[in-house]
Amino acid sequence: MSAETTDPLALLRDLERRCRSHARPLPSQVEIREDWLGIGFRVGDSRLVAPLDEVAEILTYPGFSKVPGSKEWVRGIANVRGNLLPIMDLNGYLHGRPALPGRKTRVLVINHRGVFSGLVVDEVLGLKHFLPEQRIDEVEGVDDTLQPYLSHGFHNESGLWGVFSMRRLAETPQFLQAAV
């Protein structure tokens, strides 16, 4: 045996050299992008999306009782699993024209700072995913009555989607004044 093979440091160097020559490269780092998620819905001809964390529940159009002395866009009050839920017509509130209930009509339930309400929409279009590069800050070409409630928007292959803030709606004094 030579002095080099009995030298522990030389043995470790040789072992390291052989390990490095047979080692596989580390996996390449994959960039993870976070999609923006929201609930797509339609009010009239406008396609909108609400942030996922601002919609508590989606209901089929429930039976309800009328509330005397309330504005036209207040459809009534419904009993949902033992809780009284005010039902508001979003199209009626925004445009002054009540939505005509159909088989696609749904109710988006919001619960923000004590405002627990159901918003009647013409249709729920499902969970929508948007990439960060699809975001647009200025949403143009939408109805002026929607503008105060739009925080931004997204543009993808299916067109323009305005991000409708349920929180802004719930904090609007006109929305909170449901009595005549």
Side-chain angles (χ1 to χ4, degrees):
M1 291 187 140
S2 69
E4 193 176 293
T5 56
T6 58
D7 179 21
L9 191 55
L11 285 172
L12 286 174
R13 283 189 193 123
D14 182 52
L15 182 61
E16 178 185 22
R17 181 189 53 77
R18 286 189 287 160
C19 286
R20 287 185 186 268
S21 68
H22 292 29
R24 292 185 181 185
L26 292 173
S28 61
Q29 187 173 358
V30 177
E31 182 182 336
I32 298 175
R33 296 187 315 194
E34 290 206 26
D35 290 357
W36 187 94
L37 298 174
I39 303 293
F41 64 98
R42 187 175 56 78
V43 174
D45 294 331
S46 300
R47 288 184 312 165
L48 303 166
V49 62
L52 195 58
D53 63 340
E54 293 184 13
V55 177
E57 189 174 359
I58 301 171
L59 304 172
T60 57
Y61 194 70
F64 54 85
S65 299
K66 287 292 223 181
V67 178
S70 62
K71 295 196 176 169
E72 278 187 42
W73 47 268
V74 177
R75 288 282 174 99
I77 194 155
N79 184 342
V80 178
R81 291 183 301 283
N83 294 311
L84 294 178
L85 178 68
I87 305 294
M88 314 295 192
D89 184 337
L90 191 54
N91 197 40
Y93 170 74
L94 293 170
H95 303 112
R97 299 180 309 270
L100 298 173
R103 64 179 189 82
K104 293 182 178 183
T105 303
R106 296 291 181 265
V107 174
L108 301 178
V109 178
I110 61 171
N111 190 3
H112 177 67
R113 293 188 180 173
V115 178
F116 180 63
S117 296
L119 302 174
V120 176
V121 297
D122 294 314
E123 181 179 6
V124 169
L125 303 169
L127 187 63
K128 298 295 175 190
H129 299 258
F130 297 100
L131 300 173
E133 58 267 18
Q134 294 173 322
R135 180 186 168 121
I136 53 175
D137 291 325
E138 294 295 322
V139 184
E140 296 176 3
V142 296
D143 191 339
D144 289 340
T145 59
L146 292 171
Q147 284 297 343
Y149 308 104
L150 298 181
S151 56
H152 59 283
F154 290 98
H155 198 285
N156 65 8
E157 63 280 348
S158 62
L160 177 67
W161 296 83
V163 176
F164 190 90
S165 174
M166 300 294 184
R167 290 184 177 145
R168 282 188 192 170
L169 177 69
E171 294 172 353
T172 304
Q174 296 89 339
F175 183 74
L176 297 173
Q177 291 297 322
V180 177

